[in-house]
Amino acid sequence: MEAINNFVTAANGILWGPIMLVLLVGTHIYLSIRTGIIQRKTFTGIKLSVTPDKEASGDIGGFAALATALAATIGTGNIVGVATAIGTGGPGAVFWMWMTGLLGMATKYSEGLLAVKFRVKAADGSYIGGPMYALERGLGQKWLGVLFAVFTGFAGFGLGNMVQGNSIAESCLNTFGIPKVATAAVLTVLTGLVILGGVKSISKVCEKLIPIMAGGYILGCAVICVINAPYMGAALSTIVKGAFNPQAVGGGFVGATIGACIRAGVSRGLFTNESGLGSAPIVDACAATRNPARQALISMSGVFWDTIVVCLMTGLVLVSSMIKDPAGMEGLVGANLTSQAFATIPVIGPAALTFGLLTFAWSTILGWSLYGEKAWVYLVGVKALKPYRLAWTAVVFVGCVAALEVVWNVADMLNACMIIPNLVALLGLSGVIASETKKYVWDKDAEWGGLMKWMDDVAPQLDK
């Protein structure tokens, strides 16, 4: 087992190395250009997310699809991941996380557009789509679609299920003294009750859970920011200055090179918003939408909430707390750093953070169950539904009580493997993305005519 873990760890060092980060960020920039800087339509996407589309067909509403995707995306990475990035790259890493999210919105938009464009109806009448169908129906590369589905189907059991269940069980044991077996039993029953009902059941729960859990966490961060108000200006200055000159940042912060700062921010940013991973478009394909661009804009707004809002709030809380109480925060890393910052809120602070961690992790289990389900339906058909849902529910119990170092590393490796065929679909079909965006978004906005004229001139060269 140790030899396997060492091999997988070494593979992850390559797969998640500089080449992958450059490919992802490069794709973000490229698709930002091809879509005419679609990030400018962020608030349109937010508005559409709460506006039902009565002239559309699909399994669930646009907001329900967004909530389900956010359930899988907003997780411990938004709490622990930001702290880890600061610990590795200094406060400036928060700036690079934010920039990665801003650029990644174009990729998340593009993924959603292709998912709806190439979706199909399964044998049971439900909609199904995602990178596997874009690869098969858009590029004629079914073998790459099969690879993506295999990677997704197995990665979900690890990173989306067992690892999250283990985090919940550990947190309940350390905070409340609840035995892991008891947590496992309750969590397994709750998860089974939700996912056995399929996509509509999962989306209904996520639709109600996401506003509560994300809103509660943002409120907690806002309270700390008010308490730390005298230090907020210094925190913002430290984050911006640290992004370009980490070594010059004082106050007991970690010393880091500019390369380490950028790498920490970019890698954690990519991990938390999942732009380029190809997971969120699987649920986008289920949404009721009149055209591909509409749901794509809604999907893009998820990155705004996940990275631009939640991660930035976490970063401000942590950095302002470190400036306010350097001695109390010194030597703390990861969840302990965030926990100490939330202790600023009298009495309820630590409990509120624990509640956030628990709900974030459980929502990830629900969201990823849908991703894995659709991947297995693509591979073997709707006959996979019942066995898959039962297996997913059982694995929740195993994850709560097992040691998972190898599982975590294998899941990381499979996540990286998902990215490669997804990027092939995005880049290979970038012409489709550009034309659909022009048709449904920019042609209605005269003020963008000049930019679209430029895109029409340069697009053929980009295709070459």
Side-chain angles (χ1 to χ4, degrees):
M1 187 63 70
E2 184 179 352
I4 294 174
N5 192 45
N6 290 338
F7 170 78
V8 174
T9 301
N12 279 335
I14 298 172
L15 289 170
W16 285 107
I19 294 176
M20 179 66 81
L21 297 184
V22 169
L23 281 173
L24 281 167
V25 174
T27 300
H28 292 350
I29 295 171
Y30 177 74
L31 291 175
S32 294
I33 295 172
R34 291 307 310 267
T35 58
I37 317 300
I38 196 65
Q39 291 90 334
R40 302 249 183 159
K41 286 291 185 180
T42 298
F43 293 105
T44 299
I46 294 173
K47 180 181 177 181
L48 290 173
S49 70
V50 293
T51 306
D53 190 353
K54 298 178 181 179
E55 302 177 14
S57 57
D59 298 328
I60 57 178
F63 180 75
L66 173 64
T68 306
L70 282 174
T73 304
I74 296 182
T76 54
N78 298 85
I79 300 176
V80 181
V82 178
T84 302
I86 292 174
T88 305
V94 176
F95 175 87
W96 294 114
M97 286 186 74
W98 193 85
M99 288 301 297
T100 301
L102 186 63
L103 292 171
M105 293 174 76
T107 299
K108 186 62 71 78
Y109 166 87
S110 301
E111 291 175 319
L113 187 148
L114 292 180
V116 176
K117 175 74 175 177
F118 295 106
R119 68 183 180 179
V120 300
K121 274 195 174 184
D124 62 353
S126 64
Y127 281 92
I128 180 171
M132 52 277 201
Y133 288 93
L135 287 163
E136 178 183 344
R137 302 182 69 221
L139 288 179
Q141 301 294 327
K142 184 174 181 177
W143 69 277
L144 280 175
V146 170
L147 279 180
F148 177 86
V150 169
F151 295 145
T152 303
F154 284 108
F157 280 105
L159 194 60
N161 187 326
M162 296 178 73
V163 169
Q164 304 301 325
N166 194 262
S167 297
I168 292 173
E170 287 282 354
S171 183
C172 288
L173 177 64
N174 296 333
T175 305
F176 306 112
I178 300 174
K180 287 186 175 182
V181 173
T183 301
V186 173
L187 190 63
T188 299
V189 172
L190 289 175
T191 303
L193 289 174
V194 177
I195 72 165
L196 291 177
V199 61
K200 292 185 178 180
S201 174
I202 294 170
S203 65
K204 284 181 180 178
V205 172
C206 292
E207 208 170 1
K208 294 176 175 62
L209 181 62
I210 288 298
I212 295 173
M213 75 174 198
Y217 180 73
I218 291 171
L219 178 61
C221 288
V223 170
I224 297 173
C225 287
V226 171
I227 295 173
N228 292 352
Y231 306 94
M232 294 308 298
L236 282 168
S237 175
T238 298
I239 288 171
V240 175
K241 290 180 180 178
F244 301 97
N245 191 14
Q247 294 285 19
V249 178
F253 289 112
V254 64
T257 63
I258 183 66
C261 177
I262 295 174
R263 186 163 56 250
V266 170
S267 61
R268 298 315 302 180
L270 292 170
F271 177 80
T272 187
N273 63 54
E274 296 185 3
S275 295
L277 184 63
S279 50
I282 295 175
V283 70
D284 287 327
C286 302
T289 181
R290 69 182 66 190
N291 61 62
R294 190 182 195 278
Q295 183 59 32
L297 288 169
I298 294 173
S299 182
M300 180 183 76
S301 70
V303 182
F304 172 82
W305 294 117
D306 176 84
T307 306
I308 307 301
V309 175
V310 178
C311 285
L312 181 59
M313 292 286 286
T314 303
L316 288 172
V317 163
L318 294 177
V319 176
S320 64
S321 298
M322 294 167 79
I323 294 173
K324 177 183 177 181
D325 184 20
M329 305 289 280
E330 186 176 0
L332 299 178
V333 296
N336 292 328
L337 186 66
T338 312
S339 180
Q340 183 66 24
F342 265 75
T344 303
I345 304 176
V347 184
I348 65 171
L353 178 63
T354 299
F355 175 77
L357 284 168
L358 294 178
T359 53
F360 281 12
W362 187 53
S363 70
T364 300
I365 292 175
L366 298 181
W368 264 92
S369 72
L370 184 60
Y371 298 161
E373 175 180 300
K374 296 299 184 180
W376 285 109
V377 169
Y378 176 79
L379 292 170
V380 299
V382 294
K383 62 184 179 183
L385 286 176
K386 190 171 290 185
Y388 168 83
R389 291 170 183 170
L390 292 172
W392 185 270
T393 303
V395 168
V396 171
F397 189 95
V398 176
C400 288
V401 298
L404 297 180
E405 183 181 3
V406 175
V407 173
W408 180 280
N409 288 332
V410 170
D412 265 353
M413 182 176 70
L414 292 171
N415 271 168
C417 291
M418 288 170 61
I419 291 172
I420 296 170
N422 185 50
L423 291 186
V424 171
L426 288 168
L427 297 175
L429 295 169
S430 62
V432 174
I433 295 167
S435 63
E436 293 285 297
T437 302
K438 183 177 184 298
K439 176 181 178 181
Y440 291 113
V441 181
W442 300 131
D443 277 355
K444 298 178 182 179
D445 295 317
E447 68 269 21
W448 282 84
L451 177 59
M452 289 316 304
K453 176 64 169 61
W454 175 79
M455 285 301 300
D456 287 341
D457 292 340
V458 79
Q461 300 303 317
L462 291 173
D463 287 334
K464 291 178 182 179

